[in-house]
């Protein structure tokens, strides 16, 4: 399948700072893609280049086989939704949505019909005559979304659109945005640093760090099969464990074993491959407790003193009646273990505690 939006070897520097380095991405028509990464990784710069708000030093942007690299923003036919909403405070919800339609040669009746269609689509018909100051944050974001899609853009850019909202509104709008995007089949690129947003909303996730693309894949691929310690660390919680060199084989170096807290099992009886742990502290997380302990015995693979985080269902935790200082045994299923030879993309502080949140 031919990619609808092609980002070909895009590079960008600001003075001596490398913001983007040879970015190569293909996005299919109708796909919802999340650019995910820590602050300063280059994701917002890339979004601005797609919008024409920033020029690249090299490379090209191709939309539906048309090179749009040098086109001004007004000629790119995209919609954009910002974190700050960017609504006109002196215009009503209706007028904000209608604003961009007035220069399109549409009649007053056509504009009214389109705006009402958009208001109905985002569930704000009853708020059509309210000003932004009279709307909640979630309602303002819906107006911004309606304004962006009213122009029937070829692609949609979302710049951390939910980060200014409280948790409950954010969760509700995630599903609403996804439903709307699928219904309109509009190609969408969203910037976020929130791993949960990316996992729940995207068809594919593009993980970035230090101006480069580190991994591209479905949410399941990124979570279950991270290619580097950085990706494993950035998506979800992860234990990183220094493994001893295997004296029985030719491998004499240390590997980095990674396993997620939810994959480690607490066992009540001694088990093959079991690791003894002393409980340091625990946290209630709603449906489970996250317990943090320190290994007290080597099992041939894991050193004594290794920190482990384990997720234990609430009922099981209460049955175990664990308290700080108690000893317990865990088993790490081999099929859930990930191994990395290269530890360079994790900072030393993370490796010293050997656990990541």
């Amino acid at each position: 399948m031919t990619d609808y939006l092609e980002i070909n070897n895009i590079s960008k520097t600001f003075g001596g700072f490398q913001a983007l380095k040879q970015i190569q991405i293909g996005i299919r028509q109708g796909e919802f893609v999340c650019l995910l990464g820590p602050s300063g990784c280059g994701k917002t710069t890339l979004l601005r280049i797609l919008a024409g708000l920033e020029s690249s030093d090299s490379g090209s942007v191709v939309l539906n086989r048309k090179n749009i690299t040098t086109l001004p923003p007004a000629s790119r036919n995209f919609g954009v939704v910002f974190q700050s909403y960017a609504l006109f405070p002196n215009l009503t919800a209706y007028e904000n949505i209608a604003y961009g339609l007035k220069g399109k040669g549409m009649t007053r009746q056509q504009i009214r019909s389109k705006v009402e269609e958009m208001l109905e689509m985002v569930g704000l018909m009853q708020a059509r005559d309210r000003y932004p100051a009279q709307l909640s944050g979630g309602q303002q974001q819906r107006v911004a979304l309606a304004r962006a899609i009213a122009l029937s853009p070829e692609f949609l850019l979302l710049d951390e659109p939910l980060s200014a909202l409280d948790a409950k509104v954010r969760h509700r709008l995630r599903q609403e945005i996804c439903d709307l995007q699928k219904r309109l089949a509009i190609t969408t690129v969203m910037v976020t640093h929130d791993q949960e947003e990316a996992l729940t909303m995207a068809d594919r996730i593009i993980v970035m760090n230090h101006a480069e693309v580190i991994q591209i894949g479905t949410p399941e691929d990124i979570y279950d099969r991270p290619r580097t310690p950085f990706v494993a660390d950035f998506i979800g919680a992860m234990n990183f464990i220094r493994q001893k060199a295997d004296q029985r084989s030719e491998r004499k170096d240390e590997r980095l074993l990674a396993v997620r807290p939810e994959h480690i099992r607490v066992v009540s009886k001694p088990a093959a491959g079991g690791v003894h742990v002393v409980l340091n502290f625990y946290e209630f997380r709603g449906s489970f407790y996250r317990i943090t302990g320190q290994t007290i015995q080597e099992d041939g693979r894991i050193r004594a003193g290794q920190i482990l985080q384990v997720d234990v269902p609430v009922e099981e935790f209460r049955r175990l009646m664990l308290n700080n200082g108690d000893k317990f045994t865990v088993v790490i299923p081999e099929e859930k273990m990930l191994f990395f030879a290269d530890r360079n993309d994790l900072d030393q502080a993370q490796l010293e505690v050997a656990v990541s949140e």
Side-chain angles (χ1 to χ4, degrees):
M1 182 184 296
T2 303
D3 290 322
Y4 181 70
L5 180 61
E6 300 173 41
I7 301 165
N8 300 315
N9 297 313
I10 290 290
S11 293
K12 178 67 178 180
T13 57
F14 295 98
F17 175 70
Q18 181 92 52
L20 294 172
K21 188 187 302 181
Q22 296 292 304
I23 302 297
Q24 182 78 32
I25 301 170
I27 298 172
R28 297 183 283 272
Q29 188 167 17
E31 191 173 28
F32 194 124
V33 168
C34 277
L35 301 177
L36 177 69
S39 297
C41 72
K43 56 188 186 296
T44 297
T45 299
L46 181 57
L47 195 81
R48 289 176 60 81
I49 288 173
L50 292 178
L53 301 173
E54 199 76 62
S55 61
S56 61
D57 296 337
S58 61
S60 64
V61 177
V62 177
L63 177 67
N64 199 17
R65 301 182 181 179
K66 178 182 178 182
N67 192 322
I68 64 170
T69 309
T70 58
L71 287 182
S75 302
R76 296 196 179 201
N77 191 22
F78 68 93
V80 63
V81 179
F82 297 103
Q83 174 184 346
S84 61
Y85 318 135
L87 300 177
F88 297 109
N90 59 324
L91 300 181
T92 65
Y94 180 100
E95 292 166 339
N96 264 281
I97 298 170
Y99 185 85
L101 299 172
K102 293 179 179 178
K104 296 295 181 179
M106 300 173 68
T107 66
R108 185 174 299 179
Q109 177 59 39
Q110 288 173 326
I111 291 175
R112 181 166 61 249
S113 176
K114 187 67 173 180
V115 173
E116 289 178 351
E117 178 189 351
M118 294 297 102
L119 285 167
E120 189 70 39
M121 187 174 291
V122 297
L124 286 178
M125 186 63 79
Q126 79 287 354
R128 56 180 291 161
D129 297 322
R130 296 180 194 171
Y131 292 93
Q134 298 172 312
L135 300 172
S136 68
Q139 289 173 325
Q140 290 183 58
Q141 196 59 286
R142 285 196 191 114
V143 173
L145 186 62
R147 183 179 61 182
I149 62 178
L151 297 170
S152 301
E154 291 186 79
F155 63 103
L156 183 64
L157 302 177
L158 307 177
D159 188 7
E160 304 217 33
L162 305 177
S163 60
L165 303 173
D166 64 60
K168 282 193 174 182
V169 175
R170 190 163 63 244
H171 290 169
R172 186 171 68 249
L173 277 185
R174 280 182 200 164
Q175 189 58 55
E176 292 179 5
I177 290 174
C178 288
D179 289 346
L180 188 59
Q181 187 268 338
K182 291 292 185 291
R183 199 183 329 153
L184 298 174
I186 183 170
T187 307
T188 301
V189 180
M190 184 174 86
V191 162
T192 183
H193 65 273
D194 187 318
Q195 55 182 265
E196 189 174 316
E197 278 184 15
L199 288 171
T200 56
M201 297 179 72
D203 295 318
R204 282 193 301 158
I205 298 172
I206 299 167
V207 183
M208 298 181 65
N209 193 35
H210 298 315
E212 296 183 290
V213 171
I214 307 300
Q215 185 171 347
I216 301 175
T218 66
E220 293 83 1
D221 286 336
I222 298 294
Y223 191 84
D224 293 331
R225 292 173 289 278
R227 293 179 185 168
T228 71
F230 170 79
V231 176
D233 172 62
F234 196 77
I235 306 291
M238 184 68 79
N239 292 289
F240 289 102
I241 302 167
R242 294 180 184 271
Q243 280 203 302
K244 294 179 63 180
D246 190 346
Q247 301 300 326
R248 295 168 299 177
S249 72
E250 296 181 358
R251 186 178 64 81
K252 303 303 181 184
D253 61 325
E254 286 188 342
R255 291 191 299 175
L256 188 65
L257 182 155
V259 61
R260 297 202 181 275
E262 67 266 27
H263 293 152
I264 302 175
R265 293 186 292 109
V266 178
V267 294
S268 55
K269 297 179 179 179
V275 181
H276 300 301
V277 182
V278 60
L279 180 61
N280 292 344
F281 62 90
Y282 56 89
E283 299 172 324
F284 176 63
R285 297 289 187 98
S287 61
F288 65 92
Y289 280 84
R290 177 159 294 166
I291 61 179
T292 301
Q294 192 169 10
T295 59
I296 56 177
Q297 175 182 320
E298 297 187 35
D299 72 338
R301 296 172 304 169
I302 300 175
R303 294 178 171 185
Q306 167 70 52
I307 301 296
L308 287 180
Q309 286 186 332
V310 184
D311 289 348
V312 182
V314 168
E315 292 304 317
E316 182 180 353
F317 182 84
R318 291 172 179 167
R319 178 178 57 80
L320 292 168
M321 295 188 294
L322 291 173
N323 289 299
N324 292 342
D326 288 350
K327 298 177 182 178
F328 60 97
T329 303
V330 300
V331 172
I332 303 175
E334 290 192 7
E335 68 273 14
K336 297 298 184 180
M337 295 179 182
L338 301 170
F339 295 97
F340 301 102
D342 180 13
R343 297 172 295 180
N344 293 331
D345 63 348
L346 279 175
D347 63 45
Q348 189 61 32
Q350 287 171 305
L351 288 174
E352 287 303 320
V353 298
V355 67
S356 174
E357 173 78 46

